[in-house]
């Protein structure tokens, strides 16, 4: 089946630790995106990548890092520099035809 | 989400029609989207409309676009309890690197 897989679904992190959220797609889509969702704040763009080995900062990139070594994968690392990382993280892809975005099921990150 | 605005809450009775409204600011918008998010899940595309269209109908869903007023609406006919979710409006602007601009979402509650 084609789709976007985010893992894990739930993730707990101790303060001061880095964690990496996985996003894998087998849709052969060029563009991939990471969003953060907080209650009442809608979706805020963290990073996006339009081709392999290239990515750009979104609106709230501080404290996050990404890589795009393969077309299928766009992992997001939440570093200890992110002061308030507890949130719901969504990965999305957009195909070349540039119409709609497709979303994964999200990862809920909680700092304990 | 400041460039795309939606009311935050809507409550309707089962069987009634729901109308969710959205306003946007950029006249260069090419596509406008409605996404649905159920609790703890990713976003699911409901429908989208190209900017040169006035209306699009898909089963129980009707999208109306008023380009002059930069107003988009989503009407759900015969609203069911399964329609309870958050509905996001999003726009794509011309030449914007395939980034979407999101509203904050409208939480629809359907009461039996």
């Amino acid at each position: 089946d084609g789709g976007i897989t985010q893992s894990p679904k739930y993730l707990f992190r101790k303060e001061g630790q880095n964690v990496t959220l996985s996003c894998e797609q087998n849709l052969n889509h060029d563009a991939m995106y990471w969003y953060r969702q907080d209650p009442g704040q809608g979706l805020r763009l963290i990073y996006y990548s339009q081709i392999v080995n290239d990515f750009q900062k979104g609106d709230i990139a501080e404290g996050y890092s990404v890589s795009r070594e393969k077309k299928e994968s766009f992992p997001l690392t939440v570093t200890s520099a992110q002061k308030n990382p507890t949130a719901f993280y969504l990965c999305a892809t957009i195909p070349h035809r540039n119409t709609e975005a497709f979303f994964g099921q999200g990862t809920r990150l909680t700092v304990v | 989400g400041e460039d795309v605005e939606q009311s935050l809450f809507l409550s309707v009775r089962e069987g009634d029609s729901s109308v969710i409204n959205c306003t946007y600011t950029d006249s260069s918008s090419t596509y406008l989207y409605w996404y649905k998010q159920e609790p703890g899940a990713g976003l699911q595309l409901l429908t989208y409309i190209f900017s040169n269209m006035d209306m699009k109908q898909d089963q129980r869903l009707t999208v109306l676009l008023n380009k002059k007023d930069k107003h988009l609406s989503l009407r759900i006919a015969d609203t069911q309890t399964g329609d309870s979710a958050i509905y996001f409006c999003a726009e794509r602007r011309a030449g914007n690197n395939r980034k979407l601009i999101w509203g904050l979402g409208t939480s629809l509650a359907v009461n039996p």
Side-chain angles (χ1 to χ4, degrees), chain B residues 1-7 21-24 89 103-104:
Chain B
E2 62 190 28
D3 293 339
V4 177
E5 294 189 355
Q6 304 177 237
S7 53
N21 295 302
C22 171
T23 56
Y24 59 98
C89 171
L104 295 184

Side-chain angles (χ1 to χ4, degrees), chain B residues 28-72:
Chain B
S28 73
S29 296
T30 54
Y31 290 94
L32 293 132
Y33 303 83
W34 284 106
Y35 281 84
K36 176 183 180 183
Q37 184 181 33
E38 297 183 358
L43 277 67
Q44 171 195 357
L45 178 69
L46 285 178
T47 186
Y48 65 91
I49 188 167
F50 191 52
S51 58
N52 67 353
M53 298 169 63
D54 297 324
M55 186 181 88
K56 183 177 181 180
Q57 188 152 4
D58 183 3
Q59 299 182 340
R60 292 191 296 122
L61 305 179
T62 303
V63 178
L64 295 177
L65 176 60
N66 181 328
K67 282 193 70 177
K68 175 176 171 290
D69 294 337
K70 299 187 183 67
H71 182 267
L72 181 75

Side-chain angles (χ1 to χ4, degrees), chain A residues 22-69:
Chain A
S22 170
C23 179
E24 302 280 331
Q25 57 112 348
N26 60 5
L27 300 169
N28 200 34
H29 289 173
D30 299 313
M32 298 186 73
Y33 300 75
W34 275 106
Y35 289 95
R36 171 180 171 142
Q37 187 178 24
D38 295 282
Q41 297 226 22
L43 276 70
R44 292 186 290 169
L45 182 63
I46 305 173
Y47 268 98
Y48 65 103
S49 167
Q50 299 198 69
I51 56 172
V52 174
N53 292 323
D54 186 53
F55 48 83
Q56 286 82 38
K57 292 182 180 180
D59 301 316
I60 56 163
E62 185 174 351
Y64 299 98
S65 66
V66 293
S67 62
R68 186 86 186 275
E69 297 176 3

Side-chain angles (χ1 to χ4, degrees), chain A residues 6-26:
Chain A
Q6 288 188 243
S7 61
K9 189 170 175 62
Y10 299 97
L11 185 57
F12 296 89
R13 187 194 96 171
K14 291 183 180 178
E15 284 193 30
Q17 282 184 336
N18 293 357
V19 289
T20 298
L21 283 60
S22 170
C23 179
E24 302 280 331
Q25 57 112 348
N26 60 5

